[in-house]
Amino acid sequence: MTGRALTTKDHTLSSSEIEAILASTEKSDRLPARIDLISEAFLARPYAANPLGGGPGQPETLTASLEAFDCVTYIETVLALALSGISGDAAEFLDLLRRIRYEDGEVAWQKRNHYMTGWAENNESAGFVRNITDGPLAEKITRTLSVVEGLPARRVTFQLFRKRKLASISARIETGDLILFASAKRNLDFFHTGFLIERDGELRLRHATRSAGAVVEQPLPDFLDRFRMSGFVLLRPAGRFDPSRHSYTEGKQD
């Protein structure tokens, strides 16, 4: 597929760019290292508001772009590329993106993971992530989700860490982990997400942010200090590397 352009909805994907990104990770058979390299490749790419569009009653088409992101499409794109493996191509990337973004991989607006509680649950069931928000420092909260027009209100309960507990749980965090920031609003679960990167003993947040208008990296404590929130959830990308295929399959990595 080298050099070929692949169009999805309003965007054109360059298969050669996808292959170049995957080739840059050729020496990295560990998922955290692949996520680090791939997420770094998109630093300074523009922020895009509501890049998926759509709505209830409208036809849904798989949308993919390497040019601009919001916080969720950024993590989905990076994760799909990282799981595509060294010998992956645009078709494999798009298949993984579809399965990450939609419940049961069904491309329909109602099946899109609009709320991050559903995103986390569905991707854990699919074997793409593992929720590591547990232990005596985790607390339960309940929200009634009702901010997405066209979806019925839904009551959810999930565990989180309060941000004051960061120092106590930071040792369990690894590069490539996903962090979901819990909203203080009663009708919303999470308001932002990104990847955590460990550098010289410092935790950094790599994310697509509206305020900066781009994909950026900043110290995690700076973000925690700046925004009011109920706490955060940690997810660990999962996958078993298959040397024969030079790619990842679902399930816990050895």
Side-chain angles (χ1 to χ4, degrees):
M1 294 182 66
T2 302
R4 189 173 150 197
L6 190 150
T7 302
T8 66
K9 201 175 179 182
D10 299 325
H11 303 285
T12 299
L13 286 176
S14 167
S15 61
S16 59
E17 183 176 10
I18 291 172
E19 290 162 7
I21 290 171
L22 295 176
S24 72
T25 69
E26 185 174 0
K27 295 181 180 179
S28 301
D29 62 0
R30 298 286 296 172
L31 194 53
R34 292 173 62 77
I35 289 172
D36 187 1
L37 287 168
I38 294 168
S39 62
E40 185 178 40
F42 295 129
L43 286 174
R45 298 282 171 102
Y47 179 87
N50 192 27
L52 301 184
Q58 297 182 30
E60 183 85 355
T61 304
L62 180 64
T63 299
S65 173
L66 305 184
E67 301 305 316
F69 312 93
D70 68 2
C71 65
V72 178
T73 57
Y74 175 63
I75 65 166
E76 290 176 338
T77 300
V78 171
L79 186 57
L81 284 167
L83 291 169
S84 292
I86 296 167
S87 301
D89 59 19
E92 183 176 5
F93 159 67
L94 289 173
D95 180 62
L96 283 161
L97 184 65
R98 173 181 57 80
R99 294 162 63 195
I100 290 168
R101 181 172 294 160
Y102 296 97
E103 182 181 359
D104 300 323
E106 182 182 340
V107 181
W109 186 87
Q110 291 80 3
K111 289 285 191 173
R112 194 195 301 172
N113 295 317
H114 295 281
Y115 293 105
M116 289 305 290
T117 43
W119 193 102
E121 291 168 1
N122 291 331
N123 279 289
E124 185 165 29
S125 295
F128 294 134
V129 299
R130 179 165 55 93
N131 195 322
I132 59 171
T133 313
D134 53 22
L137 297 180
E139 301 179 30
K140 286 186 178 180
I141 68 168
T142 298
R143 294 286 184 264
T144 300
L145 309 182
S146 61
V147 300
V148 179
E149 294 185 11
L151 292 180
R154 183 165 66 96
R155 190 174 175 86
V156 298
T157 299
F158 56 94
Q159 293 199 133
L160 53 67
F161 295 119
R162 301 295 182 179
K163 62 182 181 179
R164 65 177 178 273
K165 301 294 186 181
L166 176 62
S168 300
I169 58 94
S170 59
R172 74 168 66 183
I173 296 173
E174 296 180 359
T175 286
D177 285 349
L178 287 160
I179 186 167
L180 282 55
F181 299 99
S183 174
K185 297 178 181 179
R186 294 294 180 181
N187 62 347
L188 181 63
D189 50 0
F190 298 96
F191 69 93
H192 196 58
T193 185
F195 290 104
L196 295 176
I197 307 296
E198 195 275 332
R199 286 286 185 273
D200 300 321
E202 179 185 53
L203 284 172
R204 302 185 66 81
L205 173 64
R206 194 173 284 168
H207 59 136
T209 169
R210 184 191 302 267
S211 59
V215 177
V216 299
E217 183 180 304
Q218 67 182 105
L220 176 62
D222 288 359
F223 185 90
L224 295 176
D225 289 344
R226 181 179 176 188
F227 292 96
R228 180 171 175 261
M229 65 185 70
S230 293
F232 59 88
V233 165
L234 297 173
L235 305 176
R236 178 151 299 157
R240 184 184 300 276
F241 188 72
D242 182 350
S244 67
R245 294 183 63 246
H246 294 285
S247 63
Y248 287 83
T249 56
E250 295 87 337
K252 185 177 178 181
Q253 185 178 355
D254 291 333

